[in-house]
Amino acid sequence: RNVLQNHHLAAAFALLKKPEYDILSSFGAMQKAQVREKVIKLVLATDPLCHHEIVSTFASKLIGPEGFNLDTRIVPDRMVLMKFLLCASAQGWATKSSATFDLWHHRKMAQYYQQGD
């Protein structure tokens, strides 16, 4: 599971080890660890198998008794929102013109076929 996402994470973090690509060079060890943790969670959330859970979690927060707290200091709600927005943006191809939709649809189906889904 998450083969493509794990590959992307490994490649990204390998690049960050090179000084010319280390955008986190001014961060302390704790800040780097926090960024790494968040990036991993967000990239893993791009797996289509996770989308239903992400949308369900977002919807239950939105209509739940406590509501959704948009205060950016509330870390769990912020992560739910970031995952949902990333998930939604990854599906943006579905809102394009018919020709663009068809092109991306065929590409997505080919990707799933290659992954054995």
Side-chain angles (χ1 to χ4, degrees):
R1 189 173 163 162
N2 307 111
V3 175
L4 184 62
Q5 289 75 13
N6 282 311
H7 167 73
H8 289 152
L9 287 165
F13 289 125
L15 281 175
L16 285 175
K17 289 182 179 180
K18 297 180 179 185
E20 64 267 29
Y21 299 117
D22 188 3
I23 60 173
L24 306 176
S25 61
S26 64
F27 287 26
M30 183 180 286
Q31 287 177 310
K32 284 183 180 182
Q34 289 173 340
V35 168
R36 182 181 173 87
E37 178 186 353
K38 287 176 184 160
V39 167
I40 290 170
K41 286 180 181 179
L42 291 171
V43 171
L44 291 178
T46 65
D47 185 336
L49 295 175
C50 300
H51 290 183
H52 178 71
E53 178 186 343
I54 291 167
V55 171
S56 295
T57 301
F58 180 78
S60 66
K61 280 274 196 192
L62 201 58
I63 61 173
E66 294 179 22
F68 194 82
N69 193 333
L70 293 177
D71 184 338
T72 58
R73 295 170 294 190
I74 309 299
V75 176
D77 281 5
R78 183 173 57 202
M79 185 55 72
V80 168
L81 179 60
M82 287 191 294
K83 284 181 179 182
F84 176 78
L85 292 173
L86 192 58
C87 177
S89 68
Q91 301 305 315
W93 58 271
T95 64
K96 302 296 182 188
S97 69
S98 293
T100 303
F101 172 84
D102 287 342
L103 175 68
W104 280 102
H105 174 72
H106 291 296
R107 289 180 179 176
K108 292 295 278 185
M109 292 302 107
Q111 178 187 12
Y112 294 149
Y113 179 77
Q114 289 172 349
Q115 293 174 353
D117 291 345

